[in-house]
Amino acid sequence: MHTDLLLAEADALLARGRAHNAARLLAPFVGREPENVGGWQRMARARLDLGDPAEALLAAQAAWHLDPWGTESLHWLSAAHSHLGDHAEAIAAAAAACREDPGNPRLHNRLAQAQLAAGLPTDAAEGLRCVVDMAAYDADLMVTYAMALFAIGRPLSAREAVGRALAIDFGHAGARAALQAFERAMSTAIDAASLALAADEYGETLRIHPGRQPHRRPGAARSATGHVARVALLWFLAVLIGAGLLDGAGLLTVPSSLYFALLCAAGTAGCVSALAGPAR
């Protein structure tokens, strides 16, 4: 039961964008229970979210050695290889996961992402063509399909796919980021030749070359900013309340200017927290 609670807590931290806390929670756990597959899988995700693909690969490999045909282990093994630019290994792991569970859209999405990172948008688009009809409810899948379509020179179909993603989840960060990227790419397209060039250039932005850090997932920086702002807000409020209690008890004379400064600081932190969105 203790193990289940710890892994559930790690899941909650990862869902709220607090990968650092999740990694710190999981490190002693996988040290005590190195045979726990779930711990290594979550550690791989945490390390990827922290931008540390080398450590993520070590964790994913540990999970894979314990569970060589498990789709979750194969998923994170593929993701870690993609982030490091090991594209053949990434595609092979994702394809193996799809064979194990062919009806799982998340695994097909991972395979397409691995293909896009390898510079194979045609393979990604073709592979997702039938999957999106069977999993029309999956916004992540629609966004990846849209990215593949744009990279092969089909901007109208790409926009349609993004529209389907937004219809599923209007606030989907990946869909909105893709739409903005499409707008930027299309700003230079005036004829068929320039459209083809824009598509190629867009496809190149999706590639991950060995040794080059990939772009962080949409919303990651925003979540981190929101977390810092929320912590700052709590500290400012605590100081404000403490100063008020000391002032009320006659133990300390607090100037009104300090109250004003603390209120302004707390208000600023609150606004930044609200703009950054809820913890995920």
Side-chain angles (χ1 to χ4, degrees):
M1 182 59 69
H2 175 71
T3 295
D4 292 339
L5 290 174
L6 187 144
L7 294 180
E9 184 178 354
D11 285 335
L13 290 169
L14 290 167
R16 296 201 301 270
R18 298 173 62 181
H20 179 75
N21 299 88
R24 191 163 55 185
L25 175 70
L26 289 166
F29 171 70
V30 294
R32 292 192 309 270
E33 298 188 26
E35 74 287 351
N36 190 289
V37 176
W40 287 115
Q41 291 168 347
R42 289 161 177 82
M43 180 63 86
R45 176 183 172 183
R47 288 300 178 188
L48 282 177
D49 284 354
L50 290 170
D52 189 357
E55 288 296 322
L57 180 60
L58 292 176
Q61 286 174 331
W64 177 68
H65 283 301
L66 293 166
D67 184 28
W69 303 112
T71 57
E72 191 70 10
S73 298
L74 288 166
H75 177 281
W76 293 115
L77 184 66
S78 172
H81 275 304
S82 277
H83 279 67
L84 288 167
D86 304 329
H87 299 304
E89 294 86 346
I91 292 171
C98 290
R99 288 193 296 271
E100 291 298 313
D101 187 3
N104 190 330
R106 178 169 171 263
L107 302 178
H108 288 282
N109 190 48
R110 168 88 287 274
L111 176 57
Q113 289 174 335
Q115 291 165 333
L116 288 174
L120 301 171
T122 301
D123 292 351
E126 184 61 28
L128 290 181
R129 185 169 57 85
C130 296
V131 179
V132 294
D133 292 331
M134 296 185 294
Y137 54 85
D138 193 307
D140 291 338
L141 193 71
M142 292 298 172
V143 172
T144 303
Y145 187 43
M147 294 163 68
L149 288 171
F150 196 97
I152 62 173
R154 296 177 56 189
L156 296 180
S157 298
R159 287 175 180 272
E160 181 184 354
V162 168
R164 291 169 69 181
L166 290 173
I168 298 166
D169 179 2
F170 185 72
H172 195 282
R176 296 196 172 278
L179 201 56
Q180 292 173 0
F182 295 166
E183 293 289 346
R184 289 193 298 270
M186 286 297 292
S187 65
T188 60
I190 56 175
D191 53 24
S194 57
L195 173 60
L197 180 60
D200 288 343
E201 290 177 346
Y202 173 76
E204 184 62 26
T205 67
L206 304 178
R207 292 190 64 184
I208 298 175
H209 297 280
R212 189 190 82 183
Q213 289 295 318
H215 296 297
R216 287 185 178 272
R217 58 182 177 82
R222 193 179 178 201
S223 296
T225 301
H227 174 64
V228 171
R230 283 185 287 275
V231 172
L233 175 60
L234 291 175
W235 275 106
F236 286 134
L237 290 176
V239 173
L240 182 62
I241 293 170
L245 291 174
L246 292 173
D247 195 5
L251 300 175
L252 180 68
T253 300
V254 180
S256 58
S257 58
L258 179 58
Y259 281 121
F260 181 73
L262 288 171
L263 284 171
C264 288
T268 301
C271 289
V272 172
S273 175
L275 290 172
R280 293 184 293 175

